[in-house]
Amino acid sequence: MKKIIIALVAVLGMGTLYSCSDMLDTDSDRLVIDPGMGEKTDSMYYAMGILKALQDVTDQYYLQGEMRGDLVDVVPGVTDKNLQALANFSASTDCKYDSAYLYYRIINNCNYYIAHRDTNLFTGAEKVVMPEYVAIKAIRAWTYMQLARNYGSVPFVLEPLTKISQIEEGTFENKNMEQIAAVLLPDLEQYTGYHVPIWGTADKISGMTPTKLFMPVDLVMADLYLETNQYDKAIRHYVTYLAEVASDTEWQVVSYASSMFYDRVLDFDMTQIPNGFIVPAPLDAGGTSFSNMFGSVKDNGCITAVNFPANSESGSTSQLPRFFGYDYYGQNRKLDDVQIVMSAPYKELIDTTCYYFQVQNGSKVEPQMRSLGDARTRSLCSREKDEDTGREQIWISKLQSPMLYLYRPPVVWLKLAEAFNRAGYPDVAFAILKDGIFEEMLSAPYMTPEGVDALGNVYGLLKGKNLDRFNKKNAAGVHARGGSLVKSFDRQGNFVKDSSTTLYQMDTVVAMKLDYLVKEHQVNINRLAPSKQDTINAIEDLIVDEMAMEAAFEGTRYYDLMRVANHKNADNPYGANFGSLWLKKKLAYKNPVVDLSVKENWFLPFK
């Protein structure tokens, strides 16, 4: 911890906000002793300082979460040695992308703000600074969650510090994820239902509104509950966000992969779409195509994101585009020295993923499926082949511009599915993958009475006013974004209970995943009569695959795998330490230098 320098990021004075860099360009080494946060508007500048500190940790947060996952690989002789060290779990305290200081700088800024902000400021009967105050508490909780993910057990500090000796003296107790959650979540519970700050008519910031800079407190709380296997509470806060906090454009699962509208859905082996393929009509014709979502923030594609200015003269920049082969800050061109590439397991997943469609057979329309790949991947990669050398290069386009999503609607739905599944409702989890949540799907053959009751009486997603909010018009299963015709609708948009419109059925996909579990992990499963626990583990692996396809290369993959491994360890379905062994097998291709079946080896060295 000797490298931790306590610094409060702040800007003194007032001024007009013109751009992302104007709002976030602050003096990160200044310690403000007399902040003067007693006025209604002054604290906005302190909040912007906190967001600047969040911006500064973005590259490290991303690389720690992606390089150790199973979706990317390094290029020997090309990839930065620090990235290679992260990828094979050999990173030492010398690693450029391992600095607890960057996280603690955010936390200390938040602690300072929380300690000094006067929240008893009113406009009429409204406490006007509370949304901002709650948002800063959410950022602090989110940052502690990242520290626990990356380092396991960390010094826990809730007071603003002014000198390094306060940590060096060891006066602060180390806490792990469960202990951090036990302290922070009871305090945050009083703020459930809060919206993020709305700063009047402030200019849009490089294509994003100020509200997109903050994390909704219910999503941060839900994530912490999910991380600590508290599934019931996680569900309730995801539902609170979706039903009460999010706008209509922030919760809908829209934005389909553009490739699904054309007969060019190909896997990496270039398998052709069959003749007679019927192109599905999109449920939301006005939605942003998947391939166009990641260059700028769209209201229906983003909840929270970190953005960067267009050049270094305007503020902090990100190296992420360059690692993926894009010269964003130069001539905005593709580079030959791509340092982060798709992994073999990721390509295998895409190549073996079924694409669901219909073909015309005389007067009949028949549902079919083939291993044609996921349309989202085809929307997010560019491939070129040198005819002289035969060398093929694939560029991943999600990071061609420095925009990192922290929360997106489909990923929130997938985490809700993860929580429902582990809470004992695998049918509800499957509904989120297949059809989406709306009243008619309650009669689907895969739904159980317990699942119907959970959606209605227990959690209220389909009860009262939410019956109108979550309806067939807005419903779509997350897998439909890349797998096409998986939903139970005919061509006229009518809900169909049987399997006449699609072969994407719960018993079929669960059976395939059970086969995988038996083959890969040699577990004992009665394939003809799987237990509920077997079904939950199969659905969980389906969700893990779906997260790979939906949220690939967004910096969260290793964190997702760790969380699911913890679920499996807690459930202990197929013998002791199954989750750790599951994680070890997932990452075996990376040839890690440590034994990942030992949980202590999951974490980075703390410095």
Side-chain angles (χ1 to χ4, degrees):
M1 293 295 295
K2 291 184 180 294
K3 292 188 177 181
I4 294 186
I5 302 171
I6 304 305
L8 178 69
V9 183
V11 177
L12 297 178
M14 301 286 288
T16 304
L17 308 180
Y18 293 103
S19 68
C20 177
S21 57
D22 291 327
M23 293 187 78
L24 301 184
D25 188 12
T26 62
D27 179 3
S28 62
D29 295 323
R30 168 176 266 162
L31 178 64
V32 179
I33 303 301
D34 186 15
M37 286 194 283
E39 300 298 326
K40 294 180 181 179
T41 57
D42 282 354
S43 66
M44 181 171 68
Y45 296 93
Y46 294 85
M48 280 299 147
I50 291 168
L51 292 173
K52 171 61 167 62
L54 179 63
Q55 191 183 60
D56 290 342
V57 82
T58 296
D59 278 16
Q60 174 177 290
Y61 157 79
Y62 179 93
L63 294 169
Q64 289 175 337
E66 199 64 53
M67 296 309 300
R68 293 180 290 166
D70 63 337
L71 307 182
V72 299
D73 211 342
V74 299
V75 181
V78 177
T79 302
D80 179 279
K81 66 178 182 179
N82 295 284
L83 303 187
Q84 294 189 50
L86 285 174
N88 67 13
F89 292 81
S90 66
S92 68
T93 54
D94 294 328
C95 180
K96 180 179 178 181
Y97 301 106
D98 178 9
S99 173
Y101 155 65
L102 294 177
Y103 292 111
Y104 275 102
R105 190 169 69 178
I106 300 171
I107 288 169
N108 198 55
N109 294 341
C110 292
N111 287 343
Y112 199 97
Y113 176 101
I114 292 165
H116 290 88
R117 188 58 174 125
D118 182 0
T119 59
N120 292 310
L121 299 172
F122 291 84
T123 296
E126 179 185 1
K127 286 189 174 183
V128 293
V129 302
M130 284 305 295
E132 182 181 282
Y133 181 80
V134 173
I136 299 306
K137 282 198 168 185
I139 290 175
R140 181 175 67 177
W142 180 89
T143 307
Y144 264 122
M145 182 164 57
Q146 310 320 314
L147 278 169
R149 282 170 164 175
N150 286 301
Y151 303 107
S153 181
V154 297
F156 188 69
V157 187
L158 292 181
E159 62 186 72
L161 305 182
T162 57
K163 55 185 179 180
I164 191 64
S165 62
Q166 290 175 271
I167 290 182
E168 290 179 331
E169 291 165 2
T171 57
F172 298 103
E173 181 183 0
N174 274 28
K175 293 186 184 295
N176 59 25
M177 185 75 77
E178 288 73 19
Q179 294 165 327
I180 288 170
V183 175
L184 295 181
L185 285 170
D187 173 64
L188 291 176
E189 281 289 357
Q190 63 187 303
Y191 307 118
T192 183
Y194 261 83
H195 293 248
V196 296
I198 300 176
W199 283 332
T201 58
D203 292 349
K204 288 191 174 182
I205 310 165
S206 298
M208 59 193 297
T209 58
T211 56
K212 304 298 180 183
L213 299 171
F214 292 99
M215 308 163 191
V217 66
D218 280 289
L219 291 185
V220 175
M221 292 169 68
D223 281 0
L224 263 173
Y225 280 125
L226 189 59
E227 288 280 344
T228 52
N229 303 333
Q230 299 181 70
Y231 307 119
D232 174 77
K233 291 181 178 179
I235 293 169
R236 293 185 186 281
H237 284 285
Y238 286 129
V239 170
T240 295
Y241 171 77
L242 293 168
E244 301 177 21
V245 177
S247 68
D248 286 344
T249 56
E250 286 176 332
W251 68 259
Q252 292 180 24
V253 180
V254 294
S255 307
Y256 287 77
S258 59
S259 295
M260 72 186 294
F261 302 137
Y262 309 96
D263 59 349
R264 61 181 179 88
V265 181
L266 310 170
D267 64 6
F268 288 102
D269 295 328
M270 304 298 285
T271 306
Q272 296 290 336
I273 279 287
N275 293 330
F277 168 73
I278 295 177
V279 180
L283 288 182
D284 180 65
T288 306
S289 69
F290 194 75
S291 58
N292 293 330
M293 280 181 54
F294 298 97
S296 63
V297 174
K298 304 293 183 182
D299 285 346
N300 62 354
C302 173
I303 299 170
T304 309
V306 179
N307 199 12
F308 289 86
N311 54 68
S312 58
E313 288 76 20
S314 300
S316 298
T317 59
S318 169
Q319 291 300 306
L320 297 180
R322 177 165 289 275
F323 292 142
F324 284 91
Y326 292 95
D327 183 22
Y328 178 80
Y329 295 107
Q331 300 177 8
N332 201 19
R333 60 184 176 85
K334 293 178 181 177
L335 304 171
D336 291 332
D337 58 336
V338 180
Q339 298 188 51
I340 302 177
V341 297
M342 295 177 178
S343 69
Y346 176 71
K347 290 182 181 180
E348 176 68 15
L349 171 65
I350 301 305
D351 277 353
T352 56
T353 294
C354 288
Y355 192 78
Y356 295 83
F357 56 97
Q358 295 173 349
V359 295
Q360 193 78 38
N361 186 3
S363 60
K364 297 176 61 178
V365 175
E366 298 178 348
Q368 292 193 18
M369 66 178 186
R370 291 193 190 177
S371 298
L372 297 170
D374 186 88
R376 286 165 291 194
T377 298
R378 299 300 303 167
S379 296
L380 292 174
C381 66
S382 169
R383 59 195 287 172
E384 295 178 9
K385 188 173 183 178
D386 189 312
E387 297 298 333
D388 295 329
T389 64
R391 179 178 180 270
E392 183 181 70
Q393 181 65 64
I394 298 176
W395 287 268
I396 301 168
S397 61
K398 263 191 181 179
L399 270 297
Q400 67 181 12
S401 61
M403 168 75 69
L404 184 64
Y405 285 72
L406 301 181
Y407 286 103
R408 289 197 297 114
V411 181
V412 171
W413 280 104
L414 285 175
K415 288 182 178 179
L416 177 60
E418 180 184 330
F420 264 123
N421 184 55
R422 275 293 166 189
Y425 306 104
D427 52 332
V428 177
F430 183 73
I432 292 172
L433 296 179
K434 177 177 168 59
D435 291 314
I437 301 299
F438 59 102
E439 188 174 15
E440 285 181 276
M441 52 72 55
L442 294 175
S443 63
Y446 58 80
M447 288 299 299
T448 65
E450 294 79 11
V452 171
D453 188 54
L455 287 171
N457 296 323
V458 179
Y459 297 106
L461 262 174
L462 292 179
K463 186 176 182 181
K465 63 181 180 180
N466 287 337
L467 288 171
D468 292 329
R469 183 171 178 81
F470 303 103
N471 55 59
K472 183 179 71 173
K473 178 182 178 182
N474 296 322
V478 178
H479 193 56
R481 291 163 60 80
S484 193
L485 291 176
V486 306
K487 55 192 182 296
S488 305
F489 292 97
D490 62 20
R491 299 289 294 171
Q492 289 71 45
N494 301 309
F495 183 74
V496 179
K497 296 180 183 180
D498 59 28
S499 59
S500 62
T501 60
T502 177
L503 298 180
Y504 188 75
Q505 303 295 330
M506 183 171 174
D507 56 352
T508 304
V509 296
V510 165
M512 289 190 292
K513 189 55 71 175
L514 290 175
D515 286 342
Y516 165 83
L517 287 170
V518 170
K519 178 182 177 182
E520 293 296 315
H521 298 281
Q522 291 78 53
V523 296
N524 185 19
I525 295 175
N526 183 346
R527 284 274 286 96
L528 298 179
S531 68
K532 185 174 183 179
Q533 187 183 53
D534 293 331
T535 300
I536 287 172
N537 274 277
I539 292 289
E540 185 169 69
D541 278 28
L542 285 172
I543 294 170
V544 169
D545 290 348
E546 195 65 36
M547 285 179 171
M549 294 179 283
E550 175 62 43
F553 321 121
E554 293 182 21
T556 61
R557 184 58 175 178
Y558 183 62
Y559 306 138
D560 291 338
L561 294 179
M562 289 173 67
R563 185 180 66 251
V564 170
N566 279 324
H567 297 340
K568 294 180 185 298
N569 278 339
D571 182 52
N572 196 19
Y574 305 118
N577 209 35
F578 175 71
S580 298
L581 294 170
W582 175 88
L583 179 67
K584 179 179 180 178
K585 183 171 283 288
K586 280 278 186 185
L587 301 177
Y589 81 97
K590 306 173 81 72
N591 297 313
V593 300
V594 296
D595 182 1
L596 292 177
S597 68
V598 178
K599 186 172 180 178
E600 288 74 16
N601 292 332
W602 296 2
F603 306 111
L604 290 165
F606 186 80
K607 67 169 185 177

